[in-house]
Amino acid sequence: MIHIVSGRLLAFALLALASACGSSSGSSSAPHSTSTQLTIQSISVANGSTWQVNRPIEFVFSLPINMGTVHSGSIHILDSLGVAAGGSFFQPQDTAGQVQTDRLLFQPTCPIQPGGVDAGFTPGGTTYRLSILGANQGGFAIVPLIGAPLAETITIDFSTPNSTDPAVLFYDPVSGPPSVRLRGVAGVAASDFDATYVEVAAIAGGRAYFEYDGQVGSAVLAPHDLFLMGGGFPRNHYSVPANQVGFIFHFDQPVSPEAASLERVKIEYLDLTWKPVPGRIELLSNCSQSLAGAQVRFKPLGLLPAGTPVRLRLAAGFQDLSGHGTTQSTLALATAPTTPATVGKGIPIDSFSEPFGLAGTTPGSLEDTEVTFSVAKAIWGAGKIAPVFGTNGQSRARSKWIPLGLGRVTAGGTNPTTGFLFEGTDANGVIETVGDDVESSSAFSAPMPLLGLEPRAVTIPLAELASLGEIYLAQPSLLQGYSIRFSHPVQGTFPPMGVMIQRATTSGSSVRLELSNACMSLGLGDCVPLDLTQTYSGPTGVSVILQPRFFQ
């Protein structure tokens, strides 16, 4: 029940109870009383009611209030164990953007973890008491900008739904499935910051917003922003932070934090057909003080292809917090090209040397701290990577240079805590060890036939890359920096493994691999420049095996 702690008139108690029983959400401010005594005109949560775990609570006061007096000493929401509800207090704005100084909103934290476990109000029928302390308690009280503070304490008891059904558990502020907020669409202003954008270092403030173009039929980036980026999105080099990009989707309402829904957020690139860009999806926020909805980040993993159209898309089945999902996939919400440059700023390929000197979140560390494994995470640091004691060699670690930095350390010998240098990986990203030694990694690819042969380049069928994994078939540029070994039925293996792939480009159904300017043989200071046409009479009968990049 509602308690007014003092001997005030019963009429005031009845007024508070009546106003609490009906939501004032969306209503305009009531006319201010001529009294300078601050009173509460309405509270949206009713005493004894069931309140959804993400639903805001609105308070309407008789006078404009001093927000500096709104804190845990003047108003709090506690469960039966005395644990405070998670969330924030703020004053809403009207349709003209003016702050409504006589109103106060408490926005419970919207969940970003699956199952709603981190919601501001705990689900499962948890009881809460809302207390707005008055001056009669001898402590802090909310004070108007002009006038006397709230005189007496008011308390309201409510509980959360005892259900796991999203439609029952969560409040749905917008009818229908979620939609992407784009500048110039559905009333989103051209200057609205709660809109979809790309994170990129070349733009002031690190954001380039998409704006709807009716002629294109989707949102695009401003020509000025494209110019600053070098003609398109940077290549997303992991070794060059300034070249990294991230895509921030803004939605018009809170969205489901479940992985099955979030994976419907897509970034795709055009290579004859639209193909998915591998990436990691992260729900950044699920409601905000502007009540503009959710933010979802798509972080590409690996290099983006050069000079290629990229589109942002939402697949069918993307759901809001209460379970309403999209029924159709969008073709393109926004489009823009990647930069035609094939190299990063001062770097020919996306590579680095990993000494394992810095670990975790230490500045400069290249350990991926966000990835989760089904087995123990390996010990990373002090110049080496080591398995965790008692894990029987099933420790794993991954570098931020994704996806090629995954390795598993297999402990051997009698000392299970022996550290192993991260020398390289095999086809499954595994580093095999025997005792204290790391074995040479096996070949990454099966022999691939040659379609063409040049002095320092070869052409192979694009379809052969399927054996390496879908990401290589989709992005052959990831082969930059790989070692290449040639096999011939008569001549054997030549040249040595030191020959590196400098560039990989596609043309139709084939891939051309340009090789570094290496030596064919070394001896007594001699260096014979690489010329494959002098070694092989033609591509017939010659095959290549590709080796992965190495940590050095």
Side-chain angles (χ1 to χ4, degrees):
M1 61 181 296
I2 298 181
H3 303 277
I4 301 181
V5 187
S6 81
R8 296 286 289 184
L9 295 177
L10 177 61
F12 179 81
L14 294 175
L15 174 62
L17 176 59
S19 61
C21 291
S23 172
S24 62
S25 178
S27 64
S28 60
S29 301
H32 293 159
S33 169
T34 57
S35 171
T36 59
Q37 176 74 57
L38 181 66
T39 60
I40 298 178
Q41 295 187 327
S42 65
I43 305 174
S44 61
V45 59
N47 187 68
S49 65
T50 299
W51 199 253
Q52 291 144 312
V53 299
N54 66 309
R55 185 167 190 168
I57 298 176
E58 184 182 44
F59 309 81
V60 178
F61 295 88
S62 61
L63 298 169
I65 63 172
N66 181 351
M67 276 298 292
T69 63
V70 177
H71 48 69
S72 60
S74 59
I75 181 170
H76 49 68
I77 307 173
L78 307 176
D79 66 13
S80 58
L81 298 178
V83 178
S88 59
F89 288 96
F90 65 97
Q91 292 183 302
Q93 296 180 355
D94 61 19
T95 55
Q98 298 298 313
V99 175
Q100 295 176 292
T101 57
D102 61 343
R103 293 175 182 249
L104 181 66
L105 277 179
F106 174 75
Q107 173 61 64
T109 302
C110 287
I112 60 174
Q113 298 297 325
V117 295
D118 57 334
F121 292 137
T122 303
T126 303
T127 58
Y128 283 91
R129 170 160 289 185
L130 165 63
S131 300
I132 310 170
L133 280 69
N136 66 311
Q137 292 290 88
F140 299 102
I142 297 177
V143 176
L145 293 176
I146 300 175
L150 187 68
E152 299 172 3
T153 297
I154 297 175
T155 62
I156 296 176
D157 297 322
F158 63 94
S159 61
T160 60
N162 190 12
S163 173
T164 58
D165 183 355
V168 175
L169 197 58
F170 299 112
Y171 168 66
D172 189 5
V174 180
S175 62
S179 61
V180 177
R181 288 175 56 86
L182 295 164
R183 288 182 171 182
V185 178
V188 180
S191 59
D192 197 325
F193 290 106
D194 290 322
T196 301
Y197 63 89
V198 59
E199 297 174 313
V200 58
I203 307 300
R207 298 182 179 186
Y209 281 88
F210 294 97
E211 299 179 1
Y212 186 76
D213 187 325
Q215 294 183 340
V216 177
S218 66
V220 298
L221 293 174
H224 176 69
D225 289 345
L226 286 175
F227 173 77
L228 292 177
M229 285 187 277
F233 299 128
R235 299 289 309 285
N236 198 47
H237 291 82
Y238 278 95
S239 49
V240 186
N243 286 351
Q244 296 176 14
V245 296
F247 299 89
I248 306 297
F249 289 73
H250 264 271
F251 292 93
D252 64 343
Q253 57 186 293
V255 301
S256 169
E258 304 300 325
S261 175
L262 292 176
E263 66 185 14
R264 265 67 175 179
V265 176
K266 305 287 187 180
I267 302 293
E268 298 174 333
Y269 71 99
L270 184 61
D271 182 14
L272 300 180
T273 61
W274 288 101
K275 299 177 180 178
V277 173
R280 176 180 292 156
I281 308 273
E282 179 184 8
L283 180 54
L284 298 180
S285 65
N286 217 3
C287 53
S288 62
Q289 291 190 4
S290 65
L291 305 181
Q295 278 186 316
V296 175
R297 173 191 281 135
F298 183 100
K299 184 69 179 75
L301 304 181
L303 287 174
L304 295 174
T308 303
V310 170
R311 71 180 183 182
L312 285 63
R313 194 169 69 85
L314 199 63
F318 184 78
Q319 297 182 344
D320 66 12
L321 200 54
S322 59
H324 299 131
T326 55
T327 57
Q328 293 182 333
S329 299
T330 59
L331 292 178
L333 298 166
T335 58
T338 58
T339 177
T342 58
V343 298
K345 296 179 180 179
I347 180 170
I349 58 174
D350 190 17
S351 63
F352 56 75
S353 177
E354 174 53 78
F356 299 99
L358 301 173
T361 57
T362 304
S365 170
L366 294 172
E367 180 183 8
D368 187 342
T369 58
E370 298 180 21
V371 67
T372 56
F373 302 115
S374 58
V375 297
K377 182 177 291 187
I379 299 171
W380 178 303
K384 59 188 178 184
I385 188 169
V388 175
F389 178 78
T391 57
N392 194 28
Q394 294 303 304
S395 299
R396 288 179 179 262
R398 186 161 71 182
S399 161
K400 293 178 182 177
W401 187 25
I402 303 170
L404 306 177
L406 177 62
R408 184 181 72 201
V409 180
T410 302
T414 58
N415 184 1
T417 61
T418 299
F420 303 106
L421 294 178
F422 207 156
E423 297 288 348
T425 63
D426 68 8
N428 298 314
V430 176
I431 306 170
E432 299 293 348
T433 64
V434 177
D436 294 349
D437 299 321
V438 178
E439 292 185 334
S440 298
S441 57
S442 58
F444 193 99
S445 70
M448 300 180 177
L450 294 189
L451 297 178
L453 183 69
E454 304 172 46
R456 285 199 299 115
V458 295
T459 301
I460 61 174
L462 175 63
E464 293 288 335
L465 298 184
S467 63
L468 305 181
E470 178 65 26
I471 188 172
Y472 298 94
L473 187 63
Q475 298 187 53
S477 60
L478 290 173
L479 295 175
Q480 292 177 344
Y482 268 49
S483 297
I484 188 168
R485 181 173 66 190
F486 290 80
S487 295
H488 189 279
V490 177
Q491 296 170 291
T493 299
F494 193 85
M497 290 299 299
V499 178
M500 304 290 288
I501 298 175
Q502 192 172 38
R503 186 174 292 106
T505 56
T506 57
S507 176
S509 60
S510 63
V511 180
R512 183 173 180 269
L513 306 176
E514 299 179 34
L515 308 181
S516 61
N517 190 14
C519 299
M520 292 281 285
S521 62
L522 295 173
L524 300 178
D526 255 353
C527 176
V528 179
L530 176 66
D531 187 344
L532 297 177
T533 60
Q534 297 296 317
T535 306
Y536 305 107
S537 58
T540 304
V542 182
S543 61
V544 295
I545 294 177
L546 305 181
Q547 290 280 107
R549 311 178 214 208
F550 288 88
F551 289 102
Q552 302 173 348

